[in-house]
mmCIF file of all heavy atoms in Angstrom:
data_model
loop_
_atom_site.group_PDB
_atom_site.id
_atom_site.type_symbol
_atom_site.label_atom_id
_atom_site.label_comp_id
_atom_site.label_asym_id
_atom_site.label_seq_id
_atom_site.Cartn_x
_atom_site.Cartn_y
_atom_site.Cartn_z
ATOM 1 N N SER A 629 -58.903 -45.238 16.741
ATOM 2 C CA SER A 629 -58.856 -46.415 15.872
ATOM 3 C C SER A 629 -59.662 -47.532 16.525
ATOM 4 O O SER A 629 -60.085 -47.421 17.686
ATOM 5 C CB SER A 629 -57.410 -46.872 15.680
ATOM 6 O OG SER A 629 -56.898 -47.374 16.901
ATOM 7 N N ALA A 630 -59.842 -48.642 15.811
ATOM 8 C CA ALA A 630 -60.607 -49.764 16.357
ATOM 9 C C ALA A 630 -59.949 -50.301 17.623
ATOM 10 O O ALA A 630 -60.625 -50.628 18.608
ATOM 11 C CB ALA A 630 -60.749 -50.861 15.306
ATOM 12 N N SER A 631 -58.637 -50.387 17.604
ATOM 13 C CA SER A 631 -57.928 -50.906 18.774
ATOM 14 C C SER A 631 -58.030 -49.956 19.957
ATOM 15 O O SER A 631 -58.164 -50.392 21.111
ATOM 16 C CB SER A 631 -56.455 -51.148 18.433
ATOM 17 O OG SER A 631 -56.323 -52.122 17.435
ATOM 18 N N GLN A 632 -57.977 -48.670 19.678
ATOM 19 C CA GLN A 632 -58.102 -47.694 20.762
ATOM 20 C C GLN A 632 -59.513 -47.693 21.350
ATOM 21 O O GLN A 632 -59.694 -47.513 22.553
ATOM 22 C CB GLN A 632 -57.713 -46.305 20.255
ATOM 23 C CG GLN A 632 -56.212 -46.178 20.026
ATOM 24 C CD GLN A 632 -55.835 -44.948 19.238
ATOM 25 O OE1 GLN A 632 -56.634 -44.444 18.433
ATOM 26 N NE2 GLN A 632 -54.619 -44.460 19.436
ATOM 27 N N LYS A 633 -60.504 -47.876 20.496
ATOM 28 C CA LYS A 633 -61.878 -47.991 20.999
ATOM 29 C C LYS A 633 -62.013 -49.213 21.895
ATOM 30 O O LYS A 633 -62.670 -49.166 22.943
ATOM 31 C CB LYS A 633 -62.863 -48.091 19.827
ATOM 32 C CG LYS A 633 -63.043 -46.789 19.051
ATOM 33 C CD LYS A 633 -63.998 -47.005 17.885
ATOM 34 C CE LYS A 633 -64.171 -45.719 17.092
ATOM 35 N NZ LYS A 633 -65.057 -45.916 15.917
ATOM 36 N N ALA A 634 -61.381 -50.313 21.478
ATOM 37 C CA ALA A 634 -61.440 -51.531 22.297
ATOM 38 C C ALA A 634 -60.762 -51.296 23.641
ATOM 39 O O ALA A 634 -61.255 -51.747 24.686
ATOM 40 C CB ALA A 634 -60.775 -52.683 21.555
ATOM 41 N N TRP A 635 -59.635 -50.594 23.616
ATOM 42 C CA TRP A 635 -58.934 -50.276 24.865
ATOM 43 C C TRP A 635 -59.812 -49.414 25.773
ATOM 44 O O TRP A 635 -59.929 -49.680 26.976
ATOM 45 C CB TRP A 635 -57.628 -49.554 24.542
ATOM 46 C CG TRP A 635 -56.997 -48.918 25.747
ATOM 47 C CD1 TRP A 635 -56.270 -49.548 26.700
ATOM 48 C CD2 TRP A 635 -57.075 -47.543 26.123
ATOM 49 N NE1 TRP A 635 -55.880 -48.646 27.673
ATOM 50 C CE2 TRP A 635 -56.356 -47.412 27.338
ATOM 51 C CE3 TRP A 635 -57.671 -46.420 25.566
ATOM 52 C CZ2 TRP A 635 -56.236 -46.189 27.993
ATOM 53 C CZ3 TRP A 635 -57.541 -45.199 26.216
ATOM 54 C CH2 TRP A 635 -56.837 -45.092 27.417
ATOM 55 N N LEU A 636 -60.443 -48.372 25.202
ATOM 56 C CA LEU A 636 -61.274 -47.489 26.009
ATOM 57 C C LEU A 636 -62.491 -48.231 26.550
ATOM 58 O O LEU A 636 -62.897 -48.038 27.707
ATOM 59 C CB LEU A 636 -61.711 -46.286 25.174
ATOM 60 C CG LEU A 636 -62.444 -45.166 25.909
ATOM 61 C CD1 LEU A 636 -61.605 -44.637 27.073
ATOM 62 C CD2 LEU A 636 -62.796 -44.032 24.950
ATOM 63 N N ASP A 637 -63.073 -49.124 25.735
ATOM 64 C CA ASP A 637 -64.210 -49.929 26.207
ATOM 65 C C ASP A 637 -63.801 -50.801 27.393
ATOM 66 O O ASP A 637 -64.572 -50.990 28.340
ATOM 67 C CB ASP A 637 -64.751 -50.811 25.083
ATOM 68 C CG ASP A 637 -65.522 -50.012 24.035
ATOM 69 O OD1 ASP A 637 -65.891 -48.853 24.332
ATOM 70 O OD2 ASP A 637 -65.741 -50.546 22.930
ATOM 71 N N SER A 638 -62.581 -51.339 27.328
ATOM 72 C CA SER A 638 -62.123 -52.197 28.427
ATOM 73 C C SER A 638 -61.946 -51.404 29.710
ATOM 74 O O SER A 638 -62.241 -51.887 30.804
ATOM 75 C CB SER A 638 -60.818 -52.911 28.051
ATOM 76 O OG SER A 638 -59.730 -51.999 28.047
ATOM 77 N N ARG A 639 -61.475 -50.158 29.581
ATOM 78 C CA ARG A 639 -61.273 -49.330 30.774
ATOM 79 C C ARG A 639 -62.623 -48.909 31.382
ATOM 80 O O ARG A 639 -62.813 -48.963 32.589
ATOM 81 C CB ARG A 639 -60.443 -48.081 30.435
ATOM 82 C CG ARG A 639 -59.045 -48.350 29.931
ATOM 83 C CD ARG A 639 -58.285 -49.311 30.811
ATOM 84 N NE ARG A 639 -58.219 -48.840 32.197
ATOM 85 C CZ ARG A 639 -58.068 -49.655 33.237
ATOM 86 N NH1 ARG A 639 -58.013 -50.966 33.060
ATOM 87 N NH2 ARG A 639 -58.000 -49.171 34.457
ATOM 88 N N THR A 640 -63.557 -48.488 30.549
ATOM 89 C CA THR A 640 -64.871 -48.098 31.082
ATOM 90 C C THR A 640 -65.602 -49.319 31.636
ATOM 91 O O THR A 640 -66.315 -49.226 32.640
ATOM 92 C CB THR A 640 -65.722 -47.415 29.998
ATOM 93 O OG1 THR A 640 -65.814 -48.266 28.854
ATOM 94 C CG2 THR A 640 -65.100 -46.084 29.581
#
Side-chain angles (χ1 to χ4, degrees):
S629 68
S631 297
Q632 288 167 333
K633 288 178 181 178
W635 167 79
L636 187 56
D637 287 344
S638 72
R639 298 310 304 154
T640 55

